[in-house]
Structure formats: C-alpha cells, structure tokens
Amino acid sequence: MTPFATNNLKRAVQVLLVPVLLALGGAAQAQVQSADNAIESISANQQGADVVVNIAMKNPPAKLPLGFAITNPARIALDFGATINATGKNTQEVNLGEVRGLNLVQAGERTRLVMNLKRPTSYSTAIDGKSIVVTVAGAAVAAQSAPVAAQAAPNVPAIRQVLRNLDFRRGKDGEGRVVVDLPNNAVPVDVRQLGNKVQVDFMNTGLPETLRRRLDVTDFGTPVSRVTTSTNGANVRMIIEAQGQWEQSVYQSDTQLVVAVRPVKEDPNKLVQGTQGYRGEKISFDFQNIEVRAALQAVADISGLNIIASDSVSGSLTLRLKDVPWDQALDVILQSKGLDMRKNGTVIWIAPKEELLTKEKLELEQRAQISDLEPMKSEVFQLNYQKAEAFRTVFGLDASGAATTNTGNRVLSKRGSAIIDPRTNQLFVTDIVSKLEDIRLLIQKTDVASKQVLIEARLVEANDGFSRNLGAKLGFADLRGVRGGDPGYGIGGSNRVALGGNLTGIGQVTGQTPDKGDGYTNTTMVNLPAAAIAGISPSSIAFSLFSSDDNRFLNLELSALEADGKGKIISSPRVVTEDKMVAVIEQGIELPYQVASSSGATSIEFKKANLRLEVTPQITPDGNVVLEVDVSKDSKGEETRAGFAINTQHVKTKVMVENGGTVVLGGIYQQTERTNVSKVPLLGDVPVLGYLFKTQGRENTKTELLVFITPKIVADRVAAGR
C-alpha cells in the first residue's frame, strides 16, 4: 500500500465496518460449531520500531488472510474466512509504536480484524504454527529517536529534513504536473481531494524560505490555477487549486513526487461506455461471501443516496474492486445478481428485472384504463405566430378535419378531437386533462416569434484597363518633273529611276499618269498609323526633309495614342427574413429575343439580366448565423445577330458567420494582356529605325468581382424598447 490517498478512501472506512456490523447478532454464536477455525487470542509487542501482532488460532491456518490498508484514517484490515471470534471481546487497546488499538468483528462465519494506526505505514503477514504474525513497520523511527538524541547531547543541533525543490510543468495531454523533490524516499505523504482543491501534506518535513511561495500557473493552460506551499506545524502543506472537470493522480519515483491534475473531456452525446461514463467517487471493495443487501447498504453510505431493496433481493456475492466509481460498483452488483433499479430523485428502488418490468406493465395498464374512463374537457388555444393549419399533422387530421387512420403521430388520445379555425387562427381541442396539458406545453414551445435576420450583400466589381498604340507613315516625293526638270535619278545613259509610294505616284512623276493636281498624294511608302481606341483618333506629328534645289521631299508622320481607365461598380442588395425562411431580391432588365417554334411561327421571349440575391439564414444556439447564399449578377453584353449576349457572374455557397460579421464568399478575377504588331518585313526589325516601318499596340485589362455578406440578427421589439 502506498502512502498516498484521495478523499474516496475516507468513505472506505465505512466499508470496513458497516456491512459486517449489519450481520452481527445472535446468529453468530449458533455458527461457532460450523466454522473451520477460530481466533482464540491476540497479543502485541514492540520489537525495535516495529510492532508484532500475534493472532492465535484454534487450528493451523491453511492460508494467509486477505488484507488491505487505507491511509485516511490510517488502518489495516484483515479478513479471515470461515473463522469466528472466540476471544470474547471486540476491541483491544495496544498503544505500541504505530498501532493504537484493534477492532475485531464477526459477520456469519467471517471475521475482520481492523488495526487502527497513528499514521500510514507498511505491514507483512506470516504463518507460525497455529498463529498468524503481523509485523507493522515503524514509520517514524527518526522522529521518535530525535528527542533521545537531544537529551544525550544537548549541544548538538538536530538536523531536520526539508524539501529540495518545487516545480510546475505542463504535460503533453494538457495536464498540470507538480513535481516535488523529497529529501529521501521515506517521507510520509498524505494526499486528499477537498472540493476543487488537492491537499498534499509532507509529514515531519521542513520548507526552505525559497520554496515558501504561491505560484500562479493559469497561463500554462492546465486545470491547475494556483499552487500554494506553506508550513503547517511540523509538516509542510501544499494546496493545488484547479478549475473545471479534472481528476488527479499521485506517484513517486525514488525521491521525486509527482501530482498530476489532468482535464476530463466528456462527450455529452456519448452513451455510458466503460468507466468514463461514471462520475461517482472512487472506492475500493474486498468482500468474501457478503450479502447483497449489505453491499447495497455500503454503496448507499458512500453515495449518500436512499436505496430501497425489494424483499425478493437476496443471496450473497464475492466482490473485489479497487479504485472504481461507486456508481460503477453499483452496476456491477446489480448485473451479477440479475437486478435492476429505478431512480426517483435521491431514492433508488432495487428489485429483480422481471419484478420491475411486471410492476411497470401493471402501472401502464392501469393508466390506460383510467384514461378510457377519465372525463373529457374542451379548451380553446389562440395562436399568435404559428398558423393553425400547421397543427393539422400534429393532431392527425386530414383536409376535411377527420382523424386519419395513422394515429402514430397524434398527440391526442384515442378519444380526443380537434377543430382548426384558419379564420381566427384558433384551435378547439377536446381531450382528457393530461393531454390538454401536453398540448398547452407544445403550443408554448412552438408558438413563439421567429427571430429575423438582416442580410446585406455587397458586390464590388473593379476594372483596370490600359491600352497604347504606336504607328508611323513614311513617304517620298520628286517634283522636278512637273517643275521643268528631269524626274528620277540617272543610272547610266538615258536610263533613270523614279521613286514613289505606288504606281500612281510613280506615273505622275514620270508623266505616265496625268497629274490630277493632288500634289502627289500617292507617294506614301509606309502607311502604318496608330489605331484608334474606343473611337478616339490618335495624335500625330509630321516631319519633311526636302531640298529646295532638287525639289525632292522625304515625309515622316508619327502617331500615338494611350488610354488608361479605372472603374468600380458597387451593388448592395439588402433583405430581411425570418429564421430558416428563404428570401429573394432581384433588380435588373429583361432582354427580348425572337424565338421560332417548330411550326415556323415566331414569338418573343424575354431573358433576365439582373442582380439576384437568394439567401436562407439559420440562427445557431450560440448566436452565429448559417447562410445558404445564391448570388448572381448578370449584365448585357455585346450585340449579336441573335440578340444581346448576357454576361453571367454567379456564386452559390453555404457558410457560417458570426452575428454582425462579414465574410467574403468568393471572387472572380480576370486579366487580359495583348500585344499587336504590324510591320514591314526585315525593315521593321531594325533597332530604333524599325519603329518607322511598323505599328504596335498593347492592351492590359484587369477585372475583379468580390461578394461580401453581412448578417445581423434583428433584436426583439421588447429588447429594442428598453
């Protein structure tokens, strides 16, 4: 037995004595002759720090008795099977070492010896002929010898053991671990659970000033909130404060003591499975052939419940449980004997399962007979928020008001009837009193005002466009032919070469084509000007290089146009609807389309190009809002032969948003980059000069659509009035 204990061991003392005392009486003397053995005498003596208890038996024992120890209060219990008490007394004072006294009680043919100790300690048992020898170790040898040493040598100060260190750590599973370094591995420690606190006492131990402190460990995220260490007389007391649901365990390794406080996570929807579904105090049982009634009485004493057992509950059982919740121990007892229980408040009725089922069946049959004879009453229920027609299915009525053959969903009794008046929104119900009360509670729960939700949607469409076009015109003109000179350039003899933009221009220079007086307008050799953007013509600048003597002209025209546009379109539809009701709001235009039928006839059909918001809100119990949203934004596009195209943007989703919060449902992002180049082969690729022989256009367009949703729960009118 370890020196550690929890608060459940305090109640275990009752288990040691109460069940066996219930069976005491005159029958014990009548069973003396039938027992296999008997305890004739008990003696005790001290050998050093140990106490030796000699239990003299009538016959040599075949085996050692079953025993266990508890720490609060400190006791050792030994169970002797098929053995009676022949000492003639039930108590005996000892007052030797750690043993205060002895209690000897008999129940039937079983006898239990309880040793009351001063403090928890260890023990051992052995068989010596006809006797059983129990050796109780002395746990305070140093404490007892210290005064003697002080008297023999008053000038030598006594050395007192002290705690070495104190630390707090967080475990990997979120538990709080208080680690204490002890001066040695023989320090007696008492651990108790007091409400939401764990009290740890270190016996005959000092506390250094550096460890006398209060630790606030809330930031560690464990059930432990505070650890306080202080002196308590000759002992050291540590108080561990915890919050929430938790459980504690204590273990020691050599000189290191660890108190672990771990959180208990329970699923409220989980059925009771294994030990995790039990919440009672932990207890320990070790019974041999104990009566079922005595075991139930022990559970009642520990749990504080009132247990009533039927007269048919009988028999005995052997029970050995260690550190199990008392409600689990009760289930084990009931299952082992085929029993069942019915709980009403703090009273538990226990009987065989068949007996309980038979009793409940008779009660139900009696209630059914009473309901057939109970007088009928009528009552009018006025509905405020619900429609009376909604209760037609609840009452099991068809469209004509008659009762349907399927009465499984009826809340009325088989003699009850109901009339629904849609005009006044009232219910006229005739039934027994108990059913009328059920209907009244049903209407109170369902006929309530539904909460309303304001839903605001914002659709933001942003456009960012950039376009740039560059171009040039290049031409050559020779006017010497029309001004009396020789046109063109001589290449030898009478051969000459004339230059122009096309054949018409060359013909006019050489005289092949009559001069129309247009000033040689057909002399442009490169005609690649910048293109217009959105109907806007580009700007241009022209240059001319000419010779006044030779009448030759080199003409150059540069054109350029750049456009930069940004736009934003914001649509903000709003709608208010009830909880779990669909709301729709839309706005836009309808475009006509000519549609041909199979017969050849034509008709006009309209298609919508609008902004539409469809939403269904659901308010959760924690105040959040679940939204089923369907948002579409259609607009008129380019015109085609069949009609206008429709640009569609659509978002459909389901999200959960906090009350008053905003969520981005989604976005549509488009980016277009385009570069167009028209050029004269080879000449257009010449660096720098190539720009005179080509036209270049660049376009960069960005479009983005974002959808924002903000739900707000509309406060009740009563709350708003305050």
Side-chain angles (χ1 to χ4, degrees), residues 101-121:
L102 306 176
N103 291 331
L104 194 62
V105 290
Q106 178 185 340
E109 297 182 359
R110 297 176 63 250
T111 300
R112 173 167 292 182
L113 174 63
V114 179
M115 302 180 186
N116 300 317
L117 308 178
K118 296 179 181 179
R119 57 179 58 86
T121 184

Side-chain angles (χ1 to χ4, degrees), residues 327-365:
D327 46 355
Q328 185 183 7
L330 179 60
D331 283 347
V332 171
I333 296 174
L334 298 180
Q335 293 175 8
S336 62
K337 304 303 292 186
L339 305 175
D340 203 353
M341 67 177 181
R342 297 294 184 267
K343 186 177 180 181
N344 186 8
T346 59
V347 179
I348 296 179
W349 171 262
I350 296 178
K353 293 183 179 181
E354 295 182 356
E355 181 179 339
L356 289 177
L357 294 176
T358 303
K359 182 180 179 181
E360 292 176 349
K361 182 179 178 181
L362 293 176
E363 291 179 354
L364 294 176
E365 291 177 351

Side-chain angles (χ1 to χ4, degrees), residues 156-373:
V156 179
I159 300 176
R160 190 182 183 190
Q161 56 185 4
V162 296
L163 299 180
R164 297 178 180 178
N165 192 18
L166 174 64
D167 191 13
F168 181 85
R169 305 171 186 173
R170 188 182 189 276
K172 61 179 181 178
D173 297 330
E175 73 274 12
R177 302 173 72 247
V178 182
V179 182
V180 183
D181 290 338
L182 304 176
N184 53 70
N185 57 5
V187 176
V189 183
D190 184 20
V191 182
R192 305 180 184 181
Q193 183 174 334
L194 306 175
N196 62 343
K197 301 179 181 179
V198 178
Q199 177 179 306
V200 185
D201 290 329
F202 304 90
M203 309 300 179
N204 299 315
T205 306
L207 181 66
E209 289 295 332
T210 56
L211 301 181
R212 186 177 302 177
R213 56 191 177 182
R214 174 178 295 177
L215 301 178
D216 190 351
V217 295
T218 308
D219 296 338
F220 283 83
T222 69
V224 182
S225 59
R226 187 178 301 172
V227 180
T228 305
T229 309
S230 61
T231 56
N232 185 26
N235 307 326
V236 176
R237 175 164 293 179
M238 177 188 297
I239 302 296
I240 302 174
E241 303 178 20
Q243 300 175 350
Q245 295 184 353
W246 52 272
E247 61 181 4
Q248 57 92 10
S249 61
V250 184
Y251 60 91
Q252 180 178 349
S253 177
D254 196 13
T255 60
Q256 190 177 77
L257 176 74
V258 179
V259 182
V261 180
R262 61 181 57 87
V264 177
K265 298 179 181 180
E266 296 183 355
D267 186 359
N269 300 322
K270 182 181 179 182
L271 299 177
V272 176
Q273 300 176 0
T275 59
Q276 306 229 349
Y278 301 100
R279 302 183 180 181
E281 281 187 72
K282 293 183 178 181
I283 59 176
S284 298
F285 283 161
D286 189 4
F287 296 142
Q288 298 288 336
N289 296 324
I290 188 175
E291 293 186 359
V292 177
R293 290 178 173 271
L296 294 177
Q297 182 62 42
V299 175
D301 294 337
I302 295 174
S303 63
L305 298 174
N306 301 313
I307 297 180
I308 302 176
S310 174
D311 295 337
S312 55
V313 177
S314 60
S316 60
L317 54 83
T318 299
L319 189 64
R320 182 177 178 86
L321 303 173
K322 185 174 180 62
D323 293 336
V324 298
W326 66 261
D327 46 355
Q328 185 183 7
L330 179 60
D331 283 347
V332 171
I333 296 174
L334 298 180
Q335 293 175 8
S336 62
K337 304 303 292 186
L339 305 175
D340 203 353
M341 67 177 181
R342 297 294 184 267
K343 186 177 180 181
N344 186 8
T346 59
V347 179
I348 296 179
W349 171 262
I350 296 178
K353 293 183 179 181
E354 295 182 356
E355 181 179 339
L356 289 177
L357 294 176
T358 303
K359 182 180 179 181
E360 292 176 349
K361 182 179 178 181
L362 293 176
E363 291 179 354
L364 294 176
E365 291 177 351
Q366 292 176 357
R367 292 180 182 177
Q369 293 176 1
I370 293 175
S371 63
D372 294 339
L373 302 176

Side-chain angles (χ1 to χ4, degrees), residues 426-441:
Q426 290 181 338
L427 302 176
F428 301 88
V429 184
T430 301
D431 211 328
I432 59 179
V433 178
S434 60
K435 288 296 182 179
L436 291 177
E437 185 64 24
D438 294 340
I439 295 173
R440 185 179 295 105
L441 294 177

Side-chain angles (χ1 to χ4, degrees), residues 442-659:
L442 175 63
I443 293 176
Q444 290 178 357
K445 294 293 185 180
T446 58
D447 189 29
V448 295
S450 299
K451 293 185 177 181
Q452 296 184 351
V453 182
L454 171 63
I455 300 154
E456 179 180 359
R458 290 185 297 277
L459 286 76
V460 181
E461 184 177 1
N463 298 319
D464 188 359
F466 173 80
S467 299
R468 182 174 62 190
N469 295 334
L470 300 176
K473 290 183 179 180
L474 180 64
F476 179 81
D478 188 359
L479 300 181
R480 289 180 300 172
V482 297
R483 294 184 179 181
D486 294 331
Y489 300 89
I491 57 176
S494 61
N495 297 322
R496 304 183 72 83
V497 176
L499 299 177
N502 49 42
L503 291 179
T504 301
I506 293 297
Q508 292 182 358
V509 172
T510 59
Q512 301 176 70
T513 302
D515 186 7
K516 299 179 179 181
D518 52 5
Y520 294 171
T521 57
N522 298 317
T523 60
T524 303
M525 296 182 292
V526 179
N527 188 12
L528 297 175
I533 299 178
I536 304 298
S537 301
S539 300
S540 61
I541 184 172
F543 304 89
S544 182
L545 180 64
F546 62 95
S547 173
S548 59
D549 296 334
D550 296 336
N551 297 316
R552 299 185 180 95
F553 298 85
L554 180 63
N555 301 321
L556 175 64
E557 179 183 331
L558 301 177
S559 58
L561 181 64
E562 181 176 311
D564 190 2
K566 296 182 179 180
K568 182 185 295 184
I569 301 175
I570 300 178
S571 304
S572 182
R574 302 183 192 179
V575 63
V576 179
T577 182
E578 288 187 354
D579 184 25
K580 302 180 183 65
M581 296 297 295
V582 180
V584 178
I585 184 173
E586 61 180 344
Q587 184 248 340
I589 60 175
E590 291 187 354
L591 302 177
Y593 294 88
Q594 189 174 4
V595 180
S597 61
S598 58
S599 61
T602 60
S603 60
I604 301 298
E605 181 178 312
F606 291 88
K607 293 185 179 181
K608 295 181 178 180
N610 55 10
L611 172 65
R612 187 175 186 271
L613 171 64
E614 179 179 341
V615 60
T616 304
Q618 178 182 351
I619 303 175
T620 62
D622 55 356
N624 296 328
V625 182
V626 177
L627 299 175
E628 294 184 12
V629 184
D630 189 352
V631 182
S632 60
K633 186 178 186 302
D634 300 337
S635 60
K636 183 174 67 173
E638 298 179 357
E639 186 176 4
T640 64
R641 292 183 178 181
F644 288 97
I646 297 178
N647 300 325
T648 302
Q649 294 173 325
H650 185 205
V651 176
K652 183 177 182 181
T653 185
K654 182 176 181 180
V655 294
M656 184 174 68
V657 194
E658 63 180 0
N659 182 25

Side-chain angles (χ1 to χ4, degrees), residues 73-117:
R75 291 183 178 179
I76 298 174
L78 300 176
D79 283 340
F80 297 84
T83 303
I84 62 173
N85 179 17
T87 61
K89 55 184 177 180
N90 295 330
T91 62
Q92 180 176 338
E93 295 292 334
V94 177
N95 291 325
L96 295 175
E98 302 297 330
V99 183
R100 297 179 182 271
L102 306 176
N103 291 331
L104 194 62
V105 290
Q106 178 185 340
E109 297 182 359
R110 297 176 63 250
T111 300
R112 173 167 292 182
L113 174 63
V114 179
M115 302 180 186
N116 300 317
L117 308 178

